[in-house]
Amino acid sequence: MALEHAILVSLLEKPGSGYELARRFERSIGYFWTATHQQIYRVLKRMENDGWVDARDVPQQGRPDKKEYSVADLGRAALSSWLHDPIEPESVRHDLAVKIRGAAFDDPAALIHEVERHRQAHRDRLTHYLAGQARDFTEPEPKPDPEPRPAAQPTGPQPPPDAERELQHAVLRGGIAYERMMIGWLDDVLATLARFGPDR
Amino acid sequence: MALEHAILVSLLEKPGSGYELARRFERSIGYFWTATHQQIYRVLKRMENDGWVDARDVPQQGRPDKKEYSVADLGRAALSSWLHDPIEPESVRHDLAVKIRGAAFDDPAALIHEVERHRQAHRDRLTHYLAGQARDFTEPEPKPDPEPRPAAQPTGPQPPPDAERELQHAVLRGGIAYERMMIGWLDDVLATLARFGPDR
DNA sequence: AGGCTCATGTAACATGTTACATGATTCC
DNA sequence: GGAATCATGTAACATGTTACATGAGCCT
């Protein structure tokens, strides 16, 4: 499983509390992974016990204190080892595809609204991703980091600092490609469903 | 959850044993849903208890007997009701995307082989889908069913008989679009990774 | 006063994965 | 004789989901 690893990556990109992680999993990380706060708190506790992350209490004004987590050496090593382990290419799970094949035994036309809803959701996500891309990845030259990184971590190899940004962009382009593909396919499905009108 | 519904759809398309279902989940149904035989046996047992499916012992020559399941009226009703319930558009989970973002904190070039492996797996699947499409969906006219369906089931509306085939094809086209998208994206990722060579 | 956001959690349950177990037949 | 396929299952464990719980402060 990779929830732990997704958390490690997110904390390496920026330390934060369980709550903040949960929010990120609704946004940028959520492009390719989802998790609820219950899951995150549970896993985070285990990771703390295993020494993968360090926690530090951060008092705040006007807000409850938070525990800010950051990646410990053991966590960094665990991530590195996972990165070097091959994983099986997963197959997708599409509830909607089950519905589409199931519609043949019910009323195909009744599915049109559902498919249109999904199409709209994918359009919305695409719009959101494109906005994010325009916001974060339009500068022709990556701006020279005005404040250099705190310090090079002691462990492991150190890729150039803009690798982080470039690879985030590559993943975002994947999200964009996925949403575009889905919109196109759902149009195809709608055209197919339309051929089985309500009274045929 | 939709494993039960995926099983119902598969059994409506053709009755079969748990073992046969498990095989189908590695093939056609597996395009959009996966399940191991353990899961299938467990769920199938529950479905039988709930009266969603009927089981019938089929003795075979040279092979162990099998329990052939078929969809009962209650199961058909359950499927129909699920089809009419809206579901949330799911977000994807891509281990590989976690790895790609994680590579920024390790050695990006070390990921190249892994990404190439995945690209190959998607190419293989695409080839397999295209072969299936050529095999099953090339006739310009759907062949007139020589042996008409056993009998119209008593429940629910009855779409035209080629709806099943057409909708299966639409789902397969989705699989094809997905694999093509992934291959294109992984090429993009490879080009990005290549910019962070082993000795930069 | 009521609802929202920030912040962290417990408990129960549903699903999914991995390992193990059995036994017949067919193919090499 | 050994491996693969057909066929069905149990048990233990890991993950993921849903519901519930608490409490401070901010906004209207």
Side-chain angles (χ1 to χ4, degrees):
Chain A
M1 243 299 301
L3 174 55
E4 294 138 276
H5 304 107
I7 288 176
L8 287 173
V9 171
S10 192
L11 288 179
L12 279 170
E13 290 177 353
K14 190 168 168 26
S17 67
Y19 187 85
E20 282 163 355
L21 281 171
R23 308 235 60 197
R24 289 186 214 169
F25 274 84
E26 289 169 2
R27 298 159 182 277
S28 63
I29 308 284
Y31 298 165
F32 52 89
W33 204 270
T34 52
T36 58
H37 78 272
Q38 292 89 342
Q39 253 182 291
I40 289 167
Y41 282 121
R42 195 209 278 159
V43 172
L44 221 36
K45 188 164 285 180
R46 185 174 63 216
M47 291 168 78
E48 196 186 351
N49 287 336
D50 293 350
W52 288 22
V53 294
D54 295 319
R56 145 184 107 87
D57 277 339
V58 177
Q60 298 182 113
Q61 74 287 41
R63 287 179 187 183
D65 295 358
K66 67 177 179 180
K67 267 200 269 188
E68 194 180 76
Y69 291 94
S70 52
V71 178
D73 283 356
L74 270 176
R76 217 160 206 280
L79 179 66
S80 179
S81 125
W82 177 71
L83 285 173
H84 290 268
D85 263 8
I87 49 174
E88 283 313 300
E90 322 111 75
S91 14
V92 264
R93 288 198 174 180
H94 281 300
D95 293 70
L96 195 57
V98 179
K99 281 199 171 192
I100 290 163
R101 267 171 83 151
F105 305 95
D106 201 78
D107 179 11
L111 211 68
I112 290 178
H113 283 100
E114 175 82 333
V115 175
E116 277 169 348
R117 252 186 2 102
H118 281 250
R119 188 192 182 283
Q120 188 55 46
H122 287 287
R123 263 238 66 94
D124 291 348
R125 269 193 225 159
L126 176 59
T127 304
H128 180 233
Y129 291 178
L130 288 174
Q133 181 172 237
R135 190 190 342 102
D136 301 330
F137 299 106
T138 29
E139 292 144 90
E141 306 275 309
K143 57 161 183 275
D145 222 324
E147 181 132 20
R149 295 287 172 134
Q153 264 91 350
T155 47
Q158 215 54 17
D162 51 349
E164 184 179 331
R165 196 180 127 88
E166 296 256 20
L167 292 173
Q168 280 180 4
H169 192 187
V171 169
L172 178 55
R173 288 196 300 271
I176 290 169
Y178 178 76
E179 299 305 333
R180 288 205 164 119
M181 181 277 297
M182 283 299 286
I183 292 165
W185 175 56
L186 292 179
D187 282 339
D188 175 7
V189 169
L190 283 171
T192 307
L193 286 173
R195 291 215 301 276
F196 307 101
D199 13 272
R200 290 198 36 189
Chain B
M1 247 299 301
L3 174 56
E4 293 137 277
H5 303 108
I7 289 176
L8 287 173
V9 170
S10 191
L11 288 179
L12 280 169
E13 290 178 353
K14 191 167 167 26
S17 68
Y19 187 86
E20 283 163 354
L21 281 171
R23 308 236 59 200
R24 289 185 214 169
F25 274 84
E26 289 170 1
R27 298 157 183 278
S28 62
I29 309 283
Y31 299 163
F32 52 89
W33 204 269
T34 51
T36 58
H37 77 273
Q38 292 87 341
Q39 252 182 294
I40 289 167
Y41 282 122
R42 195 208 278 161
V43 171
L44 220 37
K45 188 163 283 181
R46 186 173 63 216
M47 290 168 79
E48 196 186 352
N49 287 335
D50 293 350
W52 287 22
V53 293
D54 295 320
R56 150 183 104 85
D57 278 339
V58 178
Q60 298 181 114
Q61 74 287 39
R63 288 181 187 182
D65 296 359
K66 66 176 181 181
K67 269 200 268 185
E68 193 180 79
Y69 291 93
S70 51
V71 178
D73 284 357
L74 270 175
R76 216 161 208 279
L79 178 66
S80 178
S81 125
W82 177 70
L83 285 173
H84 289 268
D85 263 7
I87 50 176
E88 283 313 300
E90 323 111 75
S91 15
V92 262
R93 286 195 178 183
H94 282 300
D95 293 68
L96 195 57
V98 179
K99 281 199 171 192
I100 291 164
R101 269 172 80 153
F105 304 96
D106 200 79
D107 178 12
L111 211 68
I112 289 178
H113 283 100
E114 175 83 334
V115 174
E116 276 169 349
R117 253 185 1 101
H118 281 250
R119 189 191 182 283
Q120 188 55 47
H122 287 287
R123 264 239 64 93
D124 290 348
R125 268 193 225 160
L126 176 60
T127 303
H128 180 232
Y129 291 178
L130 288 174
Q133 181 172 237
R135 189 190 343 101
D136 301 330
F137 299 107
T138 29
E139 292 142 273
E141 307 275 309
K143 57 162 182 273
D145 221 325
E147 181 131 20
R149 295 287 172 133
Q153 263 93 348
T155 46
Q158 216 54 18
D162 50 350
E164 185 179 330
R165 197 180 127 89
E166 296 256 18
L167 292 173
Q168 280 180 5
H169 192 187
V171 169
L172 179 55
R173 288 196 301 270
I176 290 168
Y178 177 77
E179 300 304 334
R180 289 204 164 120
M181 181 278 296
M182 284 299 287
I183 292 165
W185 175 56
L186 292 179
D187 282 339
D188 176 7
V189 170
L190 283 170
T192 307
L193 286 173
R195 291 216 301 274
F196 306 101
D199 14 273
R200 287 203 34 191

